[in-house]
Amino acid sequence: MKYKMILNGCSGSLAVRAKELYKFALDNLGGWKAETTIIIHDGQADRQWLVDTAFTDRCILLKIGGYHPETILNVLPGYCRDADVLLCPGDYFSEELTVRLACRLGGGSLVSANALRAEGGKIFCDKKVYSQQLRAVFEMVKSPV
């Protein structure tokens, strides 16, 4: 199975979010193929710094002229169709785009997941629920996740 990471390059916390996402991928998807990091940015940060922030061999930079979700969602699906899983950090930017992107790709989404695993060709995600008092496991039935 392969996965891609999508990051908000307009955020001042890009490097921190990239490390968190990479650690999540290592902890949960160690044997999977890390294919591409997609960084959506506004052109303010140094291009090489953005590329160096990616933890994958391939990095795609999508330059936008301000945060316009509909514009991003018109372009982003073309870069994501061949992935089994799309990983995004747990920020407002990602939570908004993730659900809408999954819908456009015909896949499933879950925000604030704590873990992800594959068993028998199926993908399962863990998430804390009921004010963080319980852990729920969700079988993700539509791909990409």
Side-chain angles (χ1 to χ4, degrees), residues 6-7 31 36 71 79-80 85 93 95 100 105 107 122 124 134 142 145:
I6 302 172
L7 293 164
T36 305
T71 302
Y79 293 99
C80 300
V85 172
F93 172 89
E95 287 186 2
R100 295 173 68 190
L105 293 171
K122 297 179 181 180
F124 297 91
L134 294 173
K142 294 183 179 181
V145 173

Side-chain angles (χ1 to χ4, degrees), residues 3-121:
Y3 68 93
K4 295 182 180 186
M5 293 190 263
I6 302 172
L7 293 164
N8 177 6
C10 303
S11 168
S13 63
L14 171 64
V16 171
R17 296 285 186 182
K19 286 179 187 174
E20 288 172 354
L21 203 57
Y22 182 65
K23 182 176 178 349
F24 180 90
L26 285 178
D27 291 348
N28 294 275
L29 309 172
W32 293 25
K33 183 179 180 197
E35 187 181 82
T36 305
T37 299
I38 301 167
I39 301 176
I40 301 162
H41 70 102
D42 58 9
Q44 300 298 317
D46 177 67
R47 183 179 175 86
Q48 188 59 50
W49 180 80
L50 290 170
V51 171
D52 291 344
T53 303
F55 288 96
T56 54
D57 292 337
R58 183 171 179 228
C59 181
I60 297 172
L61 300 177
L62 298 178
K63 186 177 177 184
I64 59 172
Y67 180 66
H68 303 285
E70 200 58 37
T71 302
I72 296 167
L73 289 164
N74 285 336
V75 175
L76 198 53
Y79 293 99
C80 300
R81 293 192 193 287
D82 59 341
D84 298 298
V85 172
L86 302 167
L87 294 179
C88 304
D91 57 11
Y92 178 78
F93 172 89
S94 298
E95 287 186 2
E96 177 181 13
L97 291 182
T98 308
V99 175
R100 295 173 68 190
L101 178 61
C103 182
R104 290 181 189 215
L105 293 171
S109 67
L110 184 70
V111 297
S112 302
N114 297 322
L116 185 148
R117 68 185 180 286
E119 292 177 10

